[in-house]
């Protein structure tokens, strides 16, 4: 079985939180990026890392499979692939495209073209969404382009015979198990659990195996697909009108708070 | 049929509209007015008559229904062709989808099927030069991203909470529902083991939510959160940090990747106020924070705060809540 895993790099969300939490997040002159003076690292989207982990666990469980990681993006977007190979992916492909940015529909068209070109792909695993734009466009748009089954919110994936997979899904009231026909696109959620760390042997392998480079323009053969264009980032104002309820001790503070909530009709007298 | 702004609603059997559906109708009316077109509402599910009647009373000019047992429970591959049919019938350029648990399963795929594009988590829609731009949350809510559309097909917008007010209900306003096509779909995804049925109240509907975070310090102290929630007639929630550590169950997670709650009263106890958490609770009518750190970001969002150790404050809150008689229903 040939599994393709889609991975992209994002600004480290903890780094962005670090700025946002203290009200110091600013947008730079381009209007489309944060002004963090380069202090926030670009890392692999955690959900994508978990998608790769799902593939590696299928292999650990005895599935005979080849795992190819794919990223679409500008010249330096390929960084994340090294980590993926070090984790255990067999092969890495960087599709160079400077247009894609925040447009999951364009990325889906490019990945679909690549998957068709590879010819033998049975399963595509993606993260449920990017932790940057939170859109979750790729899995659905890709499944449509490939006319494949779509399963979202996976917490575990296993092969089921030659033509199907079983997927454990995180749903609002717990978990369900579904059986999906191949070819399929599966998006993986954090319920899958912690991804493995690269081994030192893996890191050596990653150094020896540079990613294969492909040009998006070749794959698209003259088409210019596009869904959305990010025109601006804005940091919203936070309403900061907190009344701190003080008192001599915890009991007094609690009483003061409850009295105010009762006054506002939020509790019954 | 000329162009309509379309609201696409997935209806549970026999249900009326949910708050999220009503807000979407409100947003649709504003956009429809700006574009000079009417509003259509598609109600997809089984036993949708009550929801269809309410949609008409809340201002839908055309009501499209798909009413079939095969549409329940929700499955993306069965919902999708019906939704696509609704867009075609309504000649919709703008499609609004209320928030719900299944967005990722059908919104982007629906847009792709019709050569359109989607944006999820939309906090504002601006009508501009015959088109729209969508403002959506990004980076877990730390930022808003403004998107223009490049795709030729429909713009499918999944709305965040409180984008618009629910339109007034005009009793007696009726619209004759027009049936949509429900075609047979060869299923490619089948449920082998269903989840336990949804029982009891849902966190999303609770009027009071008490959430705990890592500041509780240890798993067993989550019991205090449950106690306060019970004493206030509410439900217990949690930050992802303590769901990941298994102090609370995934069903209790509030936030970007958990539940979005809109209670009258929300307690964030020992929670720092990361944007991904706030994405799930910032539309509470009143937000209360308890935190030892007076600089904690949660106080930027809270209406009332107590600076103090939650292990001291919680027992007092529980005691007072227990004394104050029946909680608000
Ligand atoms: C892609 C992505 C998605 C995410 N989705 C979610 C989500 O859906 N929901 C979510 O909640 N998070 C989510 N997160 C995680 C989020 O960024 C934060 O890490 C998380 O919300 C922090 O949880 P916390 O506030 O419980 O813990 P912390 O950030 O560790 O905060 C603990 C707080 O407790 C206070 N405290 C310590 N001791 C006490 C005491 N004795 N009494 C009172 N207060 C005390 C501290 O001052 C601190 O403010 C997501 C992150 C990413 C990257």
């Amino acid at each position: 079985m040939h599994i393709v895993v889609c991975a992209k790099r994002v600004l480290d969300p903890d780094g962005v939180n670090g700025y946002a939490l203290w009200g110091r997040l600013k947008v730079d002159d381009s209007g489309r990026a944060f002004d963090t003076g380069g202090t926030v690292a670009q890392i692999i989207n955690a959900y994508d890392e978990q998608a790769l982990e799902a593939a590696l666990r299928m292999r650990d469980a005895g599935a005979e499979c080849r795992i190819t990681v794919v990223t679409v993006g500008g010249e330096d977007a390929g960084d994340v692939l090294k980590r993926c190979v070090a984790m255990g992916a067999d092969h890495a492909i960087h599709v160079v495209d400077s247009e894609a940015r925040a447009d999951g529909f364009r990325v889906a068209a490019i990945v679909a073209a690549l998957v068709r070109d590879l010819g033998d792909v049975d399963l595509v695993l993606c993260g449920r969404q990017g932790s940057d734009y939170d859109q979750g466009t790729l899995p659905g748009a890709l499944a449509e382009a490939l006319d494949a089954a779509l399963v979202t919110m996976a917490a575990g994936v296993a092969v089921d015979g030659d033509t199907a997979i079983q997927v454990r899904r995180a749903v609002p009231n717990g978990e369900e198990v579904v059986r999906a026909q191949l070819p399929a696109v599966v998006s993986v959620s954090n319920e899958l659990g912690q991804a493995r760390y690269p081994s030192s042997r893996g890191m050596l392998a990653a150094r020896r195996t540079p990613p294969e480079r492909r040009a998006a323009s070749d794959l698209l053969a003259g088409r210019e697909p596009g869904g959305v264009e990010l025109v601006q980032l804005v940091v919203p104002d936070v309403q900061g009108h907190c009344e701190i309820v003080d008192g001599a001790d915890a009991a007094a503070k609690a009483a003061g708070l409850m009295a105010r909530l009762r006054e506002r009709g939020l509790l019954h007298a | 049929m000329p162009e309509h702004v379309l609201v696409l609603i997935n209806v549970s059997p026999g249900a009326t509209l949910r708050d999220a559906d009503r807000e979407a109708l409100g947003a649709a009316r504003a956009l429809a007015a700006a574009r000079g077109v009417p509003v259509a509402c598609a109600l997809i599910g089984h036993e949708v008559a009550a929801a269809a009647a309410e949609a008409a009373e809340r201002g839908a000019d055309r009501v499209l229904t798909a009413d079939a047992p095969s549409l329940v429970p929700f499955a993306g591959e069965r919902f999708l062709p019906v939704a696509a049919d609704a867009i075609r019938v309504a000649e919709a350029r703008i499609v609004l989808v209320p928030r719900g648990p299944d967005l990722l399963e059908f919104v982007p795929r629906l847009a792709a099927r019709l050569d359109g594009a989607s944006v999820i988590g939309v906090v504002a829609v601006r009508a501009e030069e015959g088109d729209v731009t969508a403002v959506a949350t990004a980076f877990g809510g730390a930022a808003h991203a403004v998107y223009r559309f490049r795709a030729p097909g429909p713009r499918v917008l999944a709305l965040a909470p409180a984008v618009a007010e629910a339109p007034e209900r005009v009793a007696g306003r009726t619209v004759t529902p027009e049936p949509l096509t429900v075609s047979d779909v060869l299923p490619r995804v089948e449920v082998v083991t269903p989840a336990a049925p949804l029982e009891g109240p849902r966190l999303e509907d609770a009027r009071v939510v008490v959430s705990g975070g890592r500041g509780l310090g240890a798993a067993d102290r989550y019991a205090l959160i449950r106690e306060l929630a019970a004493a206030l007639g509410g439900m217990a929630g949690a930050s992802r940090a303590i769901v990941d550590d298994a102090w609370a169950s995934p069903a209790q997670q509030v936030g970007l990747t958990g539940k979005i709650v809109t209670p009258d009263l929300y307690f964030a106890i020992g929670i720092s106020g990361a944007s991904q958490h706030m994405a799930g609770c910032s539309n509470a009518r009143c937000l209360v924070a308890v935190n030892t750190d007076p600089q904690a970001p949660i106080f930027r969002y809270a209406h009332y705060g107590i600076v103090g150790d939650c292990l001291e404050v919680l027992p007092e809150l529980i005691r007072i809540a227990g004394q104050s008689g029946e909680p608000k229903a």
Side-chain angles (χ1 to χ4, degrees):
Chain A
M1 168 183 282
H2 189 180
I3 304 175
V4 162
V5 178
C6 302
K8 77 161 174 177
R9 57 175 213 162
V10 295
L11 272 182
D12 182 354
D14 288 335
V16 175
N17 276 352
Y19 278 82
L21 285 177
W22 310 112
R24 289 202 303 253
L25 194 62
K26 301 241 156 26
V27 175
D28 72 9
D29 292 338
S30 78
R32 301 190 216 187
F34 295 124
D35 183 5
T36 56
T39 57
V40 177
Q42 299 263 11
I43 61 168
I44 181 170
N45 178 38
Y47 297 119
D48 299 344
E49 197 174 26
Q50 284 166 312
L52 174 57
E53 176 65 25
L56 295 169
R57 287 185 195 171
M58 290 172 75
R59 188 164 70 189
D60 293 348
E64 228 175 277
C65 57
R66 193 149 50 86
I67 301 171
T68 301
V69 216
V70 174
T71 198
V72 176
E75 283 300 330
D76 39 9
D79 295 354
V80 296
L81 295 173
K82 230 178 246 139
R83 184 180 179 89
C84 296
V85 173
M87 282 172 68
D90 299 303
H91 188 56
I93 302 176
H94 175 187
V95 183
V96 182
D97 182 62
S98 52
E99 288 292 303
R101 281 192 283 257
D103 185 2
F105 289 94
R106 182 176 173 91
V107 174
I110 294 169
V111 175
L114 176 70
V115 165
R116 268 187 230 108
D117 190 66
L118 292 172
D120 62 347
V121 178
D122 308 285
L123 174 63
V124 182
L125 297 175
C126 311
R128 58 175 277 181
Q129 66 200 65
S131 66
D132 47 4
Y133 297 104
D134 297 324
Q135 288 297 307
T137 301
L138 178 62
L142 182 59
E144 184 62 23
L146 295 172
D147 190 21
L150 172 67
V151 182
T152 59
M153 299 293 291
V157 187
V159 290
D160 180 355
D162 288 338
T163 58
I165 48 171
Q166 291 227 5
V167 184
R168 221 160 25 85
R169 295 185 69 221
V171 294
N173 42 327
E175 276 190 359
E176 68 176 19
V177 180
V178 301
R179 183 171 196 273
Q181 299 299 322
L182 297 173
V185 176
V186 175
S187 80
V188 173
S189 187
N190 48 290
E191 284 81 359
L192 182 105
Q194 184 74 43
R196 70 197 58 194
Y197 289 102
S199 65
S200 43
R201 223 182 82 226
M203 289 196 285
L204 270 176
R207 222 168 295 157
R208 282 195 308 262
T209 0
E212 179 188 341
R213 284 167 63 95
R214 305 283 297 264
S217 51
D218 294 346
L219 288 167
L220 291 173
R223 288 184 303 135
E224 279 300 336
V228 296
E229 180 188 1
L230 173 72
V231 285
Q232 208 184 355
L233 274 180
V234 182
V235 177
D237 287 334
V238 174
Q239 304 294 350
H241 299 301
C242 184
E243 180 188 341
I244 299 290
V245 183
D246 213 352
D249 55 14
K253 291 176 189 175
L257 172 67
M258 294 298 270
R260 283 169 177 77
L261 297 180
R262 190 167 300 119
E263 256 167 51
R264 286 193 45 180
L266 292 161
L267 308 170
H268 260 268
Chain B
M1 202 182 277
E3 183 197 330
H4 288 66
V5 172
L6 176 67
V7 180
L8 208 54
I9 297 177
N10 174 21
V11 183
S12 308
T16 54
L17 298 183
R18 303 164 307 151
D19 286 343
D21 305 330
R22 298 177 183 133
E23 289 168 15
L25 276 168
R29 296 228 312 200
L31 274 172
R35 290 175 75 78
V37 303
V39 172
C41 184
L43 301 127
I44 302 176
H46 185 41
E47 296 166 13
V48 302
E54 185 179 343
E57 292 190 338
R58 293 196 192 267
D61 301 298
R62 313 271 304 235
V63 172
L64 312 172
T65 54
D67 199 328
S70 66
L71 294 170
V72 177
F74 174 88
E77 53 189 4
R78 284 194 293 266
F79 187 86
L80 220 65
V82 184
D85 187 44
I87 293 175
R88 268 184 234 110
V89 171
E91 292 189 26
R93 298 283 302 148
I94 317 290
V95 181
L96 302 184
V97 183
R99 65 184 177 278
D102 301 310
L103 297 178
L104 295 176
E105 210 180 319
F106 77 89
V107 169
R109 189 167 195 168
L110 176 64
R113 180 161 298 182
L114 301 173
D115 237 337
S118 62
V119 177
I120 284 178
V122 171
V123 294
V125 189
R126 301 184 193 137
E128 258 166 35
E129 293 160 29
D131 202 344
V132 288
T133 56
V135 186
T137 58
F139 294 90
H144 288 167
V146 184
Y147 298 97
R148 248 199 319 251
F149 289 88
R150 294 170 56 194
R155 289 84 172 95
V156 184
L157 310 174
L159 305 179
V163 169
E165 303 263 327
E168 287 296 323
R169 195 167 179 162
V170 182
R173 187 176 188 276
T174 57
V175 176
T176 308
E178 300 161 64
L180 292 164
T181 310
V182 182
S183 39
D184 283 337
V185 178
L186 203 62
R188 291 190 283 192
V189 181
E190 285 168 290
V191 176
V192 181
T193 315
L198 206 60
E199 271 168 25
R202 302 184 326 147
L203 199 56
E204 293 95 319
D205 300 326
R207 296 330 307 160
V208 177
V209 174
V210 181
S211 287
R214 205 179 264 150
L216 289 169
D220 54 337
R221 299 178 185 153
Y222 191 70
L224 292 169
I225 297 293
R226 290 184 197 283
E227 262 185 72
L228 181 58
L232 293 169
M235 293 181 70
S239 74
R240 173 156 143 190
I242 72 166
V243 170
D244 285 346
D245 288 349
W247 301 3
S249 73
Q252 288 170 300
Q253 182 179 318
V254 172
L256 179 72
T257 48
K259 306 266 155 68
I260 293 176
V261 300
T262 52
D264 294 326
L265 182 56
Y266 187 84
F267 282 80
I269 299 187
I271 290 176
S272 58
S275 55
Q276 291 88 357
H277 185 80
M278 301 319 295
C281 64
S282 56
N283 285 296
R285 198 146 70 83
C286 179
L287 202 151
V288 175
V290 180
N291 201 300
T292 38
D293 177 4
Q295 304 297 323
I298 189 74
F299 290 124
R300 291 168 51 223
Y301 299 91
H303 301 93
Y304 297 106
I306 289 180
V307 178
D309 187 338
C310 61
L311 300 180
E312 293 172 16
V313 177
L314 271 167
E316 297 298 333
L317 292 173
I318 292 165
R319 193 176 52 76
I320 300 168
Q323 283 170 354
S324 55
E326 279 306 294
K328 187 176 162 173

